[in-house]
Amino acid sequence: MDKSQQKQLYLFYCAECEDLARQVASQSDHIILQTIKWRNFDDGFPNIFINNAQDLRGQHVAFLGSFSSQGVIFEQLSVIYALPRLFVASFTLVLPFFPTGSFERMEEEGDVATAFTMARMLSNIPISRGGPTSLVIYDIHALQERFYFGDHVLPLFETGIPLLKQRLHQLSDSDKIVVAFPDDGAWKRFHKQLDHFPMVVCNKVREGDKRIVRIKEGNPAGCHVVIVDDLVQSGGTLIECQKVLAAHGAAKVSAYVTHGVFPKRSWEQFTHKDDGLEKAFAYFWITDSCPLTVKAVANKAPFEVLSLAGSIADALQP
């Protein structure tokens, strides 16, 4: 086998990640897309076939997954557990969004930390010929979750923040950017990567039965303020932060999250309507870590998608 052949990587992907997988493959001549037949038996359980499995022996192999719902996790885990056993040279799992990451701690006896459950499931991926599985995850909710994984996987925690910084430098008002964090947790998570920007830190305080968002430190007046967090669910906190920042004189407010989860189409409240009302968010940047959301918000202002494809391709270099 020549050296160029050794550098090739065979990339498999789940159905909803096809667009992202094609973008990743377009970044490098050494990444070769492979396909899987995702079928079901009559009883609904998976009937899966890995195409060209006999050609994988001695090759570097990766799988691009998306655990967007409980219903797809089992079928993808079945493939993830099967691929390393095909005598491959190495196996990498790219799971851009770790879906249970925000359920990482117990506050009272009886709480189940499902982030730990998911980490245990992924820690049992069989060891390939090349050793433990490499696991690539973007902006996991809490950094301490790296310690939830066992010795059979090597977690590589990447971030989407470089994509945001690149986009901010392209803006006409790039010299007026202030970064805001919705709480102390987001500040701890991201401030070192954004420390060349002026910052605003918000927090939530309890007044009676309500939790009110206030500015803890920093001044947004006259600036384009970009709220930064790892993920968004309902979006309620972002909306409250926007109101407070605007009330304190922010010229514009935008938002960035790596993972646009948006259950129950909660992204709809952020879209620009043609009814003359004020557009609360100038931009709302997300990555393509949640493919179903990417399709839902396509061509809908203020949303822009910053693709992880280049970063994933770099992480997959054998």
Side-chain angles (χ1 to χ4, degrees), residues 27-74:
Q27 304 289 317
S28 171
D29 293 336
H30 298 302
I31 298 177
I32 312 300
L33 280 187
Q34 299 293 301
T35 58
I36 294 171
K37 292 178 182 176
W38 301 97
R39 304 166 299 190
N40 292 94
F41 292 108
D42 290 341
D43 61 3
F45 278 87
N47 176 14
I48 304 167
F49 185 81
I50 299 171
N51 294 314
N52 303 316
Q54 69 280 0
D55 298 330
L56 299 181
R57 178 172 292 195
Q59 302 294 338
H60 299 286
V61 173
F63 181 80
L64 176 59
S66 175
F67 290 179
S68 59
S69 70
Q70 299 177 59
V72 299
I73 291 177
F74 179 70

Side-chain angles (χ1 to χ4, degrees), residues 203-252:
N203 66 357
K204 297 176 184 177
V205 296
R206 188 173 296 279
E207 290 188 359
D209 294 333
K210 295 182 179 180
R211 297 188 72 185
I212 309 297
V213 175
R214 290 181 175 171
I215 292 179
K216 177 181 176 183
E217 59 183 80
N219 181 14
C223 296
H224 181 178
V225 183
V226 181
I227 306 169
V228 175
D229 209 349
D230 61 321
L231 61 84
V232 59
Q233 297 267 4
S234 68
T237 298
L238 293 179
I239 290 172
E240 292 305 311
C241 284
Q242 184 278 331
K243 292 177 180 177
V244 171
L245 292 166
H248 282 76
K252 287 194 290 188

Side-chain angles (χ1 to χ4, degrees), residues 162-316:
L163 300 174
L164 170 65
K165 292 165 68 173
Q166 181 180 27
R167 183 67 181 94
L168 293 180
H169 287 305
Q170 296 169 351
L171 298 177
S172 59
D173 57 356
S174 60
D175 59 333
K176 292 288 188 180
I177 296 295
V178 168
V179 171
F181 302 103
D183 52 38
D184 287 332
W187 177 83
K188 290 176 182 177
R189 185 72 180 81
F190 294 117
H191 80 277
K192 289 185 179 179
Q193 300 176 66
L194 295 162
D195 59 4
H196 57 292
F197 291 103
M199 294 184 184
V200 170
V201 181
C202 300
N203 66 357
K204 297 176 184 177
V205 296
R206 188 173 296 279
E207 290 188 359
D209 294 333
K210 295 182 179 180
R211 297 188 72 185
I212 309 297
V213 175
R214 290 181 175 171
I215 292 179
K216 177 181 176 183
E217 59 183 80
N219 181 14
C223 296
H224 181 178
V225 183
V226 181
I227 306 169
V228 175
D229 209 349
D230 61 321
L231 61 84
V232 59
Q233 297 267 4
S234 68
T237 298
L238 293 179
I239 290 172
E240 292 305 311
C241 284
Q242 184 278 331
K243 292 177 180 177
V244 171
L245 292 166
H248 282 76
K252 287 194 290 188
V253 178
S254 296
Y256 166 86
V257 297
T258 303
H259 310 298
V261 185
F262 289 121
K264 300 179 180 179
R265 296 175 64 88
S266 56
W267 53 266
E268 290 181 336
Q269 63 191 316
F270 293 95
T271 56
H272 290 173
K273 310 295 193 300
D274 295 325
D275 54 10
L277 296 177
E278 179 185 4
K279 296 174 173 61
F281 287 85
Y283 298 94
F284 199 129
W285 293 290
I286 63 174
T287 75
D288 40 8
S289 67
C290 298
L292 299 181
T293 298
V294 170
K295 291 182 179 179
V297 304
N299 302 314
K300 292 182 175 66
F303 290 101
E304 285 188 10
V305 177
L306 308 178
S307 181
L308 296 172
S311 177
I312 292 173
D314 291 341
L316 289 177

